[in-house]
Amino acid sequence: MAKHLQNELEKLKRKLITLSSVIEESVVKSVRSVGNKDFDLAQEVIDHDHTIDLIEVEVEEECLKILALYQPVAVDLRYVIAVLKINNDLERIGDLAVNIAEQSIYMGKQRNIKIPFDFDSMSQKTLAMLKKALDSLVQFDTSLAHQTCLDDDEVDAINREMYGKVYAGIKKDPNHVECFIRYLSISRHLERIADYATNIAEDVIYMIDGTIVRHKPEIFHHSNSLESME
Amino acid sequence: MSENIIEAKDLRIFYGMNEAVKGVSFKIKKGEVTAVIGPSGCGKSTVLRSFNRMNDFISNIKITGGLSFEGDEIYGPKMDPAVIRRDIGMVFQRPNPFPKSIYKNIVWGPKINGYKHNWDELVEKALRRAALWDEVKDRLHDSALDLSGGQQQRLCIARTIAMSPKVILMDEPCSALDPKATARIEDLIGELKKRYTIVTVTHNMQQAARISDETAFFYEGELIEFGNTNELFTNPKEKRTEDYITGRFG
């Protein structure tokens, strides 16, 4: 029984890793499609979403099967529950990558305005957060998960600044209102991806430590200040 | 906060030279269901049987440390084993009704203990509390051995209840029963806890998780972890508990 369960959990882990890498690739491509005005790449992200949806359903079915057949407890139970939640978050990240790719296509080649925010920096920070969250999941590493949660504040700050910049941009150059708004959407999508990466990291912490850290930002800031004192 | 009904302090139980229970301390809360889990030979049944001195019948047993029931030492010189067994009843792994009628099975214990009130009332009350009345009310004078295994086990519970115990010990009460009869006993335990404190030993961890408020995990004579069942099965504090309940050893 225990061996069967361990085999099933290993299988689930492999499926989740596959989904994680497909999602990461999708986000990278969507960001690149904006930066390089590469519509083929954007279209590739949109076309690939169906595959992501299929893997998400497979992962969920695996989780339900394990719960029904093996009634896992303790760390195994936490793992299956965390995977169920992370699976959902990953699929949403995939959808956001599609949203970014769609914005990229909508904007077409008329992007002759200066990008009103530090797109590279925001996208790199978001991608780094996503990578850290997924690494924490694969490596069962709570310190990486904690770092991910802390990094979210930076991405949130960039997104907040974006509103002011878009507002000023529209006032100055009203002919490109649509383009500005689409950039604002992209910024918002990146910020949501960072939020989902944070959710994943929080679920990784729950999976490993059994501690629910959601809605308790003080935990991360406290541990961060302790680390800086050392 | 619930008051404690049974308390062990550095309890040690030896079979000859073999120390089966190695200095365990815990408190059983009144009105709760406590499940005792652990691999075979870990000492869980030995501990359970010490609560109502069922171990007295073993010749080479030695018990040290404190073990009290409602504040009185169970192995103290003033304690009458017959009294403690009346207050702390026991249901065994295999249903063991007397080869007599259903009715006589219930009245046997109270009769030898001097009960002189309404026998019919006593039988009905015990059978109702054991969720058996509706099934047997028309054949109370048939042999108890004609009942199914699940019914026989509920009769044994009714027989225990008839003595008005404060605590009911159950040593793997469902291990000889099919899933349906097991579910009935589990439901019954949920009902019984409203009136009695229940301590049950089980090898079925899902059952422990389902029916108990508190769980104790024994391993090689030591009490590894004792706490809230929900916490123990979702986030155990001890690695050995986690390894055992997830099937990694034991």
Side-chain angles (χ1 to χ4, degrees):
Chain A
M1 172 80 170
K3 196 158 187 191
H4 289 300
L5 173 60
Q6 292 314 312
N7 290 342
E8 292 291 343
L9 292 172
E10 274 304 313
K11 209 162 96 187
L12 180 63
K13 191 176 178 185
R14 284 198 295 275
K15 269 207 164 72
L16 191 70
I17 291 172
T18 307
L19 181 62
S20 305
S21 54
V22 171
I23 294 290
E24 198 179 348
E25 198 183 321
S26 206
V27 176
V28 169
K29 281 181 180 171
S30 71
V31 164
R32 203 180 293 155
S33 79
V34 175
N36 299 348
K37 299 181 187 177
D38 187 338
F39 310 133
D40 291 339
L41 200 59
Q43 192 57 48
E44 210 180 293
V45 171
I46 295 165
D47 294 343
H48 203 54
D49 191 48
H50 182 61
T51 312
I52 292 174
D53 292 346
L54 290 179
I55 305 175
E56 186 238 3
V57 171
E58 272 178 35
V59 170
E60 185 170 307
E61 283 177 343
E62 281 296 321
C63 290
L64 295 177
K65 185 178 89 181
I66 292 171
L67 289 174
L69 300 187
Y70 302 98
Q71 295 104 39
V73 292
V75 66
D76 298 336
L77 174 66
R78 298 201 306 271
Y79 181 74
V80 177
I81 296 300
V83 169
L84 262 176
K85 296 174 75 183
I86 289 169
N87 184 42
N88 198 33
D89 288 343
L90 285 171
E91 193 271 335
R92 291 293 299 129
I93 292 175
D95 287 347
L96 289 165
V98 168
N99 294 152
I100 293 173
E102 283 169 350
Q103 295 296 348
S104 179
I105 291 174
Y106 292 147
M107 281 194 285
K109 291 185 174 149
Q110 302 162 8
R111 275 176 272 174
N112 49 2
I113 60 159
K114 188 174 172 290
I115 296 179
F117 70 118
D118 190 353
F119 174 74
D120 283 342
S121 166
M122 187 181 191
S123 57
Q124 288 316 311
K125 280 194 165 74
T126 306
L127 284 172
M129 271 182 74
L130 181 61
K131 189 172 183 326
K132 253 185 230 174
L134 297 178
D135 284 350
S136 75
L137 171 66
V138 174
Q139 296 164 20
F140 275 57
D141 185 334
T142 48
S143 84
L144 273 178
H146 274 272
Q147 282 174 36
T148 310
C149 298
L150 279 169
D151 291 350
D152 191 37
D153 288 350
E154 285 183 52
V155 178
D156 285 348
I158 298 175
N159 184 52
R160 272 195 303 274
E161 281 173 26
M162 178 64 183
Y163 282 93
K165 287 181 178 171
V166 164
Y167 181 74
I170 291 172
K171 273 182 103 175
K172 200 174 150 193
D173 183 7
N175 295 330
H176 290 99
V177 171
E178 191 184 341
C179 210
F180 278 117
I181 289 173
R182 291 202 184 281
Y183 272 124
L184 187 62
S185 290
I186 291 172
S187 167
R188 173 75 184 138
H189 294 326
L190 286 171
E191 190 267 337
R192 289 301 296 145
I193 289 175
D195 285 347
Y196 281 117
T198 308
N199 289 357
I200 291 171
E202 287 168 346
D203 286 332
V204 168
I205 294 168
Y206 169 71
M207 185 170 84
I208 299 166
D209 289 348
T211 322
I212 295 175
V213 293
R214 279 195 319 278
H215 320 304
K216 294 175 189 164
E218 68 279 4
I219 291 178
F220 304 114
H221 293 288
H222 179 65
S223 64
N224 193 41
S225 59
L226 286 179
E227 272 170 28
S228 59
M229 279 166 70
E230 279 169 4
Chain B
M1 198 167 148
S2 311
E3 67 183 276
N4 304 314
I5 191 159
I6 294 174
E7 193 168 344
K9 280 183 196 159
D10 194 29
L11 177 69
R12 289 172 196 275
I13 305 178
F14 299 83
Y15 292 116
M17 297 296 285
N18 175 34
E19 189 175 13
V21 177
K22 300 171 181 170
V24 299
S25 301
F26 55 83
K27 291 168 183 171
I28 305 276
K29 288 181 190 151
K30 190 175 178 180
E32 294 206 337
V33 178
T34 301
V36 186
I37 59 168
S40 297
C42 69
K44 56 188 188 301
S45 291
T46 303
V47 168
L48 191 79
R49 282 154 193 268
S50 65
F51 292 166
N52 66 348
R53 297 187 51 165
M54 294 298 278
N55 289 329
D56 287 7
F57 306 105
I58 299 167
S59 57
N60 62 345
I61 200 159
K62 188 179 127 196
I63 297 172
T64 67
L67 183 64
S68 62
F69 167 68
E70 292 187 325
D72 297 326
E73 276 303 316
I74 292 172
Y75 287 89
K78 290 181 195 160
M79 183 62 76
D80 179 352
V83 172
I84 195 84
R85 284 178 207 133
R86 207 159 55 207
D87 283 338
I88 306 180
M90 191 154 191
V91 176
F92 297 86
Q93 194 168 354
R94 291 194 164 273
N96 55 354
F98 304 132
K100 294 182 180 301
S101 72
I102 294 165
Y103 193 96
K104 281 184 178 167
N105 262 273
I106 304 289
V107 301
W108 192 267
K111 200 171 184 179
I112 58 171
N113 275 281
Y115 181 87
K116 288 191 180 82
H117 303 283
N118 188 330
W119 293 108
D120 291 348
E121 199 179 287
L122 175 86
V123 170
E124 181 174 343
K125 196 164 100 180
L127 288 170
R128 277 192 190 281
R129 286 192 181 171
L132 189 60
W133 174 251
D134 289 341
E135 292 162 57
V136 300
K137 63 185 175 193
D138 300 324
R139 46 179 176 142
L140 292 175
H141 299 286
D142 289 0
S143 169
L145 301 179
D146 291 342
L147 297 173
S148 70
Q151 288 173 326
Q152 287 187 14
Q153 193 64 308
R154 277 180 282 142
L155 176 64
C156 294
I157 293 172
R159 196 171 62 184
T160 307
I161 290 171
M163 296 295 292
S164 304
K166 291 176 180 164
V167 179
I168 301 175
L169 307 176
M170 297 186 176
D171 194 352
E172 296 190 47
C174 302
S175 64
L177 305 182
D178 69 22
K180 199 176 165 193
T182 298
R184 292 211 66 163
I185 300 282
E186 288 183 7
D187 290 346
L188 178 58
I189 289 173
E191 280 299 309
L192 292 175
K193 69 176 260 194
K194 293 173 189 163
R195 299 172 194 276
Y196 313 99
T197 302
I198 295 170
V199 187
T200 179
V201 161
T202 178
H203 272 298
N204 181 338
M205 268 167 309
Q206 275 77 31
Q207 183 175 70
R210 279 194 298 269
I211 63 169
S212 69
D213 303 298
E214 302 250 296
T215 298
F217 168 54
F218 279 81
Y219 184 65
E220 292 185 345
E222 288 176 48
L223 178 59
I224 307 300
E225 191 164 345
F226 191 160
N228 178 280
T229 297
N230 188 17
E231 282 170 27
L232 192 134
F233 279 94
T234 52
N235 193 15
K237 290 182 180 68
E238 297 291 328
K239 179 150 192 329
R240 278 180 290 180
T241 313
E242 179 147 287
D243 287 347
Y244 179 69
I245 63 174
T246 56
R248 287 176 174 80
F249 84 87

Tab-separated table of all heavy atoms in Angstrom, chain A residues 2 6 71 73-76 78 209-210, chain B residues 206 233-236 242 245-248:
chain	number	residue	atom	x	y	z
A	2	ALA	N	1.836	1.288	0.961
A	2	ALA	CA	2.685	2.472	1.060
A	2	ALA	C	3.495	2.649	-0.219
A	2	ALA	O	3.663	3.763	-0.713
A	2	ALA	CB	3.606	2.342	2.253
A	6	GLN	N	3.503	5.750	-2.777
A	6	GLN	CA	4.722	6.496	-3.127
A	6	GLN	C	4.903	6.556	-4.637
A	6	GLN	O	5.301	7.594	-5.184
A	6	GLN	CB	5.950	5.861	-2.458
A	6	GLN	CG	5.988	5.992	-0.932
A	6	GLN	CD	5.645	7.389	-0.450
A	6	GLN	OE1	6.170	8.380	-0.945
A	6	GLN	NE2	4.727	7.489	0.503
A	71	GLN	N	-6.243	7.497	0.603
A	71	GLN	CA	-6.494	8.320	1.804
A	71	GLN	C	-5.193	8.746	2.481
A	71	GLN	O	-4.924	8.363	3.630
A	71	GLN	CB	-7.352	7.552	2.805
A	71	GLN	CG	-8.752	7.254	2.326
A	71	GLN	CD	-8.923	5.818	1.912
A	71	GLN	OE1	-8.402	4.925	2.539
A	71	GLN	NE2	-9.628	5.579	0.843
A	73	VAL	N	-2.247	10.716	4.484
A	73	VAL	CA	-2.263	11.555	5.688
A	73	VAL	C	-0.931	12.305	5.787
A	73	VAL	O	-0.007	12.041	5.032
A	73	VAL	CB	-2.470	10.716	6.983
A	73	VAL	CG1	-3.863	10.135	7.024
A	73	VAL	CG2	-1.442	9.616	7.100
A	74	ALA	N	-0.882	13.215	6.758
A	74	ALA	CA	0.329	13.962	7.092
A	74	ALA	C	0.971	14.573	5.846
A	74	ALA	O	0.277	15.181	5.041
A	74	ALA	CB	1.295	13.060	7.859
A	75	VAL	N	2.287	14.381	5.670
A	75	VAL	CA	2.997	15.073	4.591
A	75	VAL	C	2.422	14.682	3.229
A	75	VAL	O	2.349	15.509	2.311
A	75	VAL	CB	4.527	14.809	4.679
A	75	VAL	CG1	4.868	13.347	4.413
A	75	VAL	CG2	5.301	15.697	3.714
A	76	ASP	N	1.976	13.442	3.080
A	76	ASP	CA	1.418	13.008	1.800
A	76	ASP	C	0.097	13.729	1.508
A	76	ASP	O	-0.164	14.128	0.371
A	76	ASP	CB	1.188	11.489	1.799
A	76	ASP	CG	2.486	10.721	1.965
A	76	ASP	OD1	3.553	11.288	1.630
A	76	ASP	OD2	2.455	9.566	2.423
A	78	ARG	N	-0.773	16.658	2.756
A	78	ARG	CA	-0.461	18.071	2.477
A	78	ARG	C	0.070	18.227	1.064
A	78	ARG	O	-0.222	19.208	0.378
A	78	ARG	CB	0.563	18.600	3.500
A	78	ARG	CG	0.057	18.568	4.929
A	78	ARG	CD	0.826	19.531	5.814
A	78	ARG	NE	2.250	19.346	5.775
A	78	ARG	CZ	2.935	18.526	6.566
A	78	ARG	NH1	2.296	17.801	7.468
A	78	ARG	NH2	4.245	18.427	6.459
A	209	ASP	N	6.155	22.484	5.761
A	209	ASP	CA	6.126	22.754	7.214
A	209	ASP	C	4.768	22.504	7.861
A	209	ASP	O	4.672	22.448	9.090
A	209	ASP	CB	6.459	24.240	7.477
A	209	ASP	CG	7.916	24.524	7.206
A	209	ASP	OD1	8.677	23.556	7.044
A	209	ASP	OD2	8.277	25.716	7.143
A	210	GLY	N	3.727	22.439	7.053
A	210	GLY	CA	2.382	22.301	7.605
A	210	GLY	C	1.874	23.618	8.178
A	210	GLY	O	0.887	23.641	8.897
B	206	GLN	N	-7.233	4.947	9.350
B	206	GLN	CA	-8.341	5.778	8.860
B	206	GLN	C	-9.465	5.799	9.903
B	206	GLN	O	-10.093	6.815	10.114
B	206	GLN	CB	-8.880	5.241	7.528
B	206	GLN	CG	-8.108	5.749	6.321
B	206	GLN	CD	-6.802	5.033	6.147
B	206	GLN	OE1	-6.703	3.863	6.494
B	206	GLN	NE2	-5.802	5.707	5.621
B	233	PHE	N	-2.865	13.789	12.288
B	233	PHE	CA	-2.965	13.177	10.960
B	233	PHE	C	-2.705	14.160	9.815
B	233	PHE	O	-2.593	13.743	8.678
B	233	PHE	CB	-4.333	12.502	10.767
B	233	PHE	CG	-4.387	11.136	11.409
B	233	PHE	CD1	-4.869	10.971	12.690
B	233	PHE	CD2	-3.912	10.021	10.733
B	233	PHE	CE1	-4.900	9.722	13.297
B	233	PHE	CE2	-3.932	8.775	11.322
B	233	PHE	CZ	-4.427	8.623	12.613
B	234	THR	N	-2.657	15.456	10.105
B	234	THR	CA	-2.325	16.383	9.018
B	234	THR	C	-0.903	16.913	9.165
B	234	THR	O	-0.200	17.080	8.181
B	234	THR	CB	-3.294	17.587	8.962
B	234	THR	OG1	-3.365	18.181	10.250
B	234	THR	CG2	-4.668	17.173	8.521
B	235	ASN	N	-0.491	17.140	10.404
B	235	ASN	CA	0.835	17.713	10.591
B	235	ASN	C	1.475	17.189	11.873
B	235	ASN	O	1.620	17.917	12.842
B	235	ASN	CB	0.705	19.247	10.631
B	235	ASN	CG	2.039	19.917	10.509
B	235	ASN	OD1	3.037	19.299	10.127
B	235	ASN	ND2	2.097	21.193	10.855
B	236	PRO	N	1.858	15.901	11.881
B	236	PRO	CA	2.431	15.338	13.117
B	236	PRO	C	3.740	16.042	13.490
B	236	PRO	O	4.467	16.502	12.618
B	236	PRO	CB	2.674	13.870	12.757
B	236	PRO	CG	2.707	13.825	11.279
B	236	PRO	CD	1.847	14.936	10.783
B	242	GLU	N	4.977	10.504	11.673
B	242	GLU	CA	4.727	10.740	10.246
B	242	GLU	C	5.086	9.505	9.418
B	242	GLU	O	4.320	9.073	8.558
B	242	GLU	CB	5.539	11.940	9.765
B	242	GLU	CG	5.330	12.213	8.289
B	242	GLU	CD	5.410	13.683	7.965
B	242	GLU	OE1	4.476	14.416	8.299
B	242	GLU	OE2	6.418	14.082	7.390
B	245	ILE	N	2.318	6.753	10.146
B	245	ILE	CA	0.957	6.951	9.611
B	245	ILE	C	0.957	7.060	8.088
B	245	ILE	O	-0.063	6.808	7.463
B	245	ILE	CB	0.220	8.156	10.259
B	245	ILE	CG1	0.935	9.467	9.954
B	245	ILE	CG2	0.027	7.949	11.733
B	245	ILE	CD1	0.157	10.685	10.450
B	246	THR	N	2.092	7.410	7.499
B	246	THR	CA	2.144	7.453	6.028
B	246	THR	C	2.597	6.108	5.459
B	246	THR	O	2.772	5.972	4.258
B	246	THR	CB	3.101	8.563	5.525
B	246	THR	OG1	4.390	8.342	6.106
B	246	THR	CG2	2.610	9.947	5.879
B	247	GLY	N	2.800	5.137	6.342
B	247	GLY	CA	3.128	3.782	5.879
B	247	GLY	C	4.581	3.598	5.495
B	247	GLY	O	4.932	2.638	4.824
B	248	ARG	N	5.457	4.531	5.913
B	248	ARG	CA	6.862	4.400	5.537
B	248	ARG	C	7.588	3.381	6.407
B	248	ARG	O	8.658	2.949	6.076
B	248	ARG	CB	7.552	5.755	5.557
B	248	ARG	CG	7.115	6.603	4.368
B	248	ARG	CD	7.697	7.999	4.386
B	248	ARG	NE	7.377	8.717	3.175
B	248	ARG	CZ	6.224	9.324	2.919
B	248	ARG	NH1	5.273	9.290	3.814
B	248	ARG	NH2	6.006	9.956	1.786
